Amino acid sequence: MTAFVFNEPNFDDHEQVIFVSEPKSGLKAIIALHNTHLGPAMGGCRMWNYVNEAAAVNDVLRLSRGMTYKNAVAGLPIGGGKSVIIGNPKTDKTSSLFEALGEALDRLGGRYVTAEDIGTSPADMANVAKKTSFVAGLGETGDPSPYTALGCFVGAQAAVKFHLKRDSMEGLVVAVQGLGHVGFDYARRLHAAGAKLIIADIDELALERARMEFGAEVVSVDAIYDVAADIYAPCALGATLNPTTLSRIKASIVAGGANNQLQTAEVGDLLRQKGVLYVPDFVINAGGIIKVCYEYLNKPEATVEAHVREIGSTLLEIFERAAHEELPTSVVADRLAEARFRH
Ligand code: NAD
């Protein structure tokens, strides 16, 4: 039989990959610890109806690696990991399923700490917590997304300072794609700083709220790529930066909270060639993990904001290096992370 994990395109010398099966609850899960040099691996638990086991392996390897990079660049004392539960989050959830996951995490003795992710909720994490203390983001101090939005805002400020040589957002036009937990709060901050907003979402209610509160101009979900804007802020889906959208986007800065914005790594270089300053997604959207990590480590809530604001100075360092070395910002961000966790 061919090696199934070691040959996987997303396998990147992950330290440990654990397959968990617990027949009573029906739990089938995979836990991947990518790198723990900086501390215990932290990253959410995704529940998804994967088409097959290979798709689940692919996802957990890719996502856990991403967490190592995100946590390292954010300057957190944690490594990268992720877990996936194979199942339909709408129909297959039971408390015993998450308790069984908690038991599996407990056996790992703290090498991996989980949290909520797509398909799981703070309530599910509370069930995990019945069996282990290696779980974060139980919602005790609320939703982390306002901190993600704060990180996006300071990231956009850094980009404007570097690329447009401006200290103010006054009068800049920002195209915000997705007015959900992150996008709405980010839009609120942009509006308060004097930016004009053009917005798109599939949720009519969110659009109406943003139109009323921020005087935002609404366009269709497809038209958001064509609008005349200074900043494009993807806050909904992944892979929105691809050769097709690149030929349409007018903005000279991309600064948004969505994960995995580049369809392929090459798009980072295409953006650079086009003179667009791309703010690497995993750097700008780390506010939420900073908040969750602080909560887990019992650090005072009051210190979270200062750490999230450091995203701005980290980004300025990345922009300067990228310009100096004539490299895409995405490549420089990866190298910065690697220098921190590969020691
Ligand atoms: P959310 O589900 O609250 O919001 C997403 C919004 O996008 C919704 O309003 C939805 O209607 C809208 N949307 C969906 N399809 C769309 C389309 N085709 N065009 C325009 N809008 C569309 O999610 P969120 O928590 O705000 O997260 C947004 C993005 O940021 C995701 O990619 C997420 O992975 C990433 N992210 C979130 C956090 C966090 O703290 N919540 C942290 C890091 C990264």
Side-chain angles (χ1 to χ4, degrees), residues 29 100 124 133 199 202 225 232 254 296 301 327:
D124 299 328
S133 58
I199 56 171
I202 50 172
Y225 298 110
Y232 163 56
V254 177
Y296 180 71
E301 166 93 20
L327 285 170

Side-chain angles (χ1 to χ4, degrees), residues 70 144-145 148 177-183 200-203 221 235-237 257-259 285 288:
K70 180 185 283 203
S145 53
T148 308
Q177 181 180 41
L179 279 300
H181 288 89
V182 176
D201 200 304
I202 50 172
D203 179 347
V221 289
C235 297
L237 322 157
N259 276 317
N285 73 16

Side-chain angles (χ1 to χ4, degrees), residues 46 70 117-118 143-149 152 176-184 199-204 206-207 220-222 224-225 234-238 240 256-261 281 284-289 292:
R46 182 165 290 192
K70 180 185 283 203
D117 197 79
I118 293 171
D143 172 17
S145 53
Y147 287 101
T148 308
C152 289
V176 184
Q177 181 180 41
L179 279 300
H181 288 89
V182 176
F184 201 90
I199 56 171
D201 200 304
I202 50 172
D203 179 347
E204 293 293 333
L207 289 173
S220 73
V221 289
D222 186 56
I224 197 76
Y225 298 110
C235 297
L237 322 157
T240 62
N259 276 317
N260 305 315
Q261 293 170 25
D281 48 13
I284 195 172
N285 73 16
I289 188 73
V292 169

Side-chain angles (χ1 to χ4, degrees), residues 15-306:
E15 282 177 21
Q16 205 177 353
V17 182
I18 301 110
F19 290 77
V20 184
S21 177
E22 203 281 316
K24 269 201 219 132
S25 64
L27 176 70
K28 288 263 182 295
I30 311 171
I31 304 167
L33 280 66
H34 175 252
N35 188 291
T36 61
H37 285 178
L38 294 173
M42 194 184 278
C45 171
R46 182 165 290 192
M47 183 164 183
W48 195 253
N49 217 356
Y50 291 102
V51 285
N52 53 37
E53 228 170 277
V57 170
N58 174 288
D59 218 25
V60 79
L61 292 176
R62 181 177 63 83
L63 296 167
S64 56
R65 179 178 185 274
M67 288 311 299
T68 300
Y69 281 75
K70 180 185 283 203
N71 296 341
V73 167
L76 293 169
I78 51 175
K82 202 89 182 182
S83 52
V84 296
I85 296 179
I86 301 170
N88 186 334
K90 294 208 173 89
T91 53
D92 299 344
K93 275 189 187 179
T94 58
S95 57
S96 57
L97 191 82
F98 288 95
E99 286 176 37
L101 180 73
E103 284 170 356
L105 299 191
D106 214 55
R107 286 194 293 272
L108 282 172
R111 275 177 48 71
Y112 167 66
V113 179
T114 200
E116 69 166 302
D117 197 79
I118 293 171
T120 60
S121 66
D124 299 328
M125 293 305 117
N127 285 322
V128 173
K130 288 179 189 164
K131 301 291 178 183
T132 186
S133 58
F134 305 125
V135 51
L138 296 167
E140 282 147 359
T141 54
D143 172 17
S145 53
Y147 287 101
T148 308
L150 171 64
C152 289
F153 180 69
V154 297
Q157 280 181 314
V160 164
K161 190 178 176 67
F162 183 83
H163 202 56
L164 305 180
K165 312 282 177 252
R166 288 182 51 155
D167 287 321
S168 153
M169 293 275 182
E170 192 70 46
L172 291 180
V173 179
V174 187
V176 184
Q177 181 180 41
L179 279 300
H181 288 89
V182 176
F184 201 90
D185 227 50
Y186 180 25
R188 186 199 315 281
R189 288 183 180 274
L190 291 164
H191 170 67
K196 295 191 179 117
L197 304 177
I198 303 177
I199 56 171
D201 200 304
I202 50 172
D203 179 347
E204 293 293 333
L205 267 170
L207 289 173
E208 187 52 22
R209 261 184 76 204
R211 205 177 56 78
M212 298 287 286
E213 285 187 39
F214 316 135
E217 178 190 338
V218 176
V219 297
S220 73
V221 289
D222 186 56
I224 197 76
Y225 298 110
D226 302 311
V227 297
D230 300 290
I231 301 175
Y232 163 56
C235 297
L237 322 157
T240 62
L241 296 170
N242 54 59
T244 312
T245 57
L246 240 60
S247 63
R248 297 168 61 185
I249 291 168
K250 318 266 185 311
S252 66
I253 291 172
V254 177
N259 276 317
N260 305 315
Q261 293 170 25
L262 303 178
Q263 188 179 54
T264 59
E266 291 70 37
V267 176
D269 201 32
L270 295 178
L271 282 158
R272 188 183 74 89
Q273 287 169 28
K274 205 184 158 193
V276 176
L277 181 66
Y278 167 63
V279 184
D281 48 13
F282 70 90
V283 186
I284 195 172
N285 73 16
I289 188 73
I290 293 171
K291 151 84 175 140
V292 169
C293 178
Y294 269 52
E295 190 180 312
Y296 180 71
L297 298 175
N298 285 319
K299 290 199 183 189
E301 166 93 20
T303 56
V304 178
E305 178 165 339

